[in-house]
Amino acid sequence: MPQPGLGEAHIVVARHPDHSSAVTATLAGPETSRNAARTALSNRGFRWIDLKTLVLVRVDHEEPYYADQAARTLRDVGATVEITPSLQEEIDTEWTYVNYPMTYLDRDEIRAVSAEAQRIHDDIASGRLTIHLFLGQFRSVS
């Protein structure tokens, strides 16, 4: 179902030129469409660089997979999304998890674990989660 404002958005999703697994999204179109696209991409893990550029960086290096998921969602609500050939090649490449410590998990379960790690990372990066270092001794309370 088309979402108001996104119908005029044009988004180009590409590999980041300097960081091998990162993905960029460049926005074009009227300002209201860019704002709607920026919000939609932010909700999918992209972070603003400037008013027309966002970047997706993940701790699990699964940026191509998540960029593809974001592109599909945006297309479903009416945005025009172009994926560059080099990023499409990465999306189409099936990754294997060499030396993954939880060998009993399948690909979807590994992604679920990675998604939780990403949420923790994002919470720390945004200041929603603060980790305090305790240097004292622990004592049990009976």
Side-chain angles (χ1 to χ4, degrees):
M1 168 187 238
Q3 182 176 329
L6 278 173
E8 297 176 337
H10 183 85
I11 304 156
V12 177
V13 185
R15 294 177 69 184
H16 192 284
D18 299 323
H19 303 284
S20 61
S21 66
V23 171
T24 62
T26 306
L27 311 177
E31 185 176 350
T32 56
S33 293
R34 289 194 319 265
N35 289 341
R38 195 169 22 281
T39 299
L41 287 165
S42 294
N43 291 337
R44 303 293 264 160
F46 284 79
R47 294 195 180 131
W48 298 19
I49 299 298
D50 59 40
L51 292 178
K52 293 184 179 183
T53 310
L54 294 95
V55 67
L56 176 64
V57 180
R58 294 184 50 89
V59 296
D60 57 9
H61 302 292
E62 285 270 15
E63 291 90 340
Y65 171 81
Y66 288 98
D68 185 47
Q69 297 300 308
R72 290 171 192 260
T73 299
L74 287 165
R75 286 180 181 132
D76 288 346
V77 294
T80 300
V81 182
E82 175 188 342
I83 297 176
T84 63
S86 63
L87 178 56
Q88 188 62 55
E89 184 177 334
E90 287 296 313
I91 290 167
D92 295 339
T93 301
E94 194 62 34
W95 290 92
T96 57
Y97 294 89
V98 178
N99 298 324
Y100 193 79
M102 294 181 245
T103 56
Y104 49 88
L105 298 179
D106 66 25
R107 186 173 193 73
D108 290 334
E109 292 168 326
I110 291 170
R111 282 201 172 113
V113 170
S114 294
E116 184 60 28
Q118 185 68 42
R119 277 189 290 280
I120 293 168
H121 173 271
D122 292 345
D123 286 346
I124 294 168
S126 69
R128 289 187 303 265
L129 176 63
T130 304
I131 299 174
H132 299 277
L133 178 62
F134 178 74
L135 297 175
Q137 293 182 341
F138 289 100
R139 52 187 183 140
S140 62
V141 177
S142 304

